[in-house]
Amino acid sequence: MTHVNPDPEPERTTGLEPGGGVQPGETPPAESSMPEAGPRETHSTARGWGKAPLTLILVLVVLIAAFFLAYALTLIF
């Protein structure tokens, strides 16, 4: 793996003052990406929700909705 220097080269970058500063009104050079930032992931771990957690969440939502519906009906009658 080769190392890529993320800093701009002052000799080839326009608009830089001596010492690497940017003149007022100039846009600073873009930040380069760092390919050595982390390991390459070749597999996808996210495959959506599992059936059991999704079923439990849906059952819980239905139970809560039924409770509030029953509570509202007892207040009306």
Side-chain angles (χ1 to χ4, degrees), residues 22-64:
V22 180
Q23 298 173 3
E26 287 284 331
T27 303
E31 191 175 308
S32 66
S33 65
M34 297 178 59
E36 296 88 17
R40 181 182 175 106
E41 294 186 22
T42 58
H43 64 284
S44 175
T45 57
R47 296 191 179 188
W49 287 83
K51 291 181 182 179
L54 187 59
T55 303
L56 289 173
I57 291 171
L58 289 175
V59 167
L60 185 65
V61 167
V62 168
L63 287 174
I64 291 172

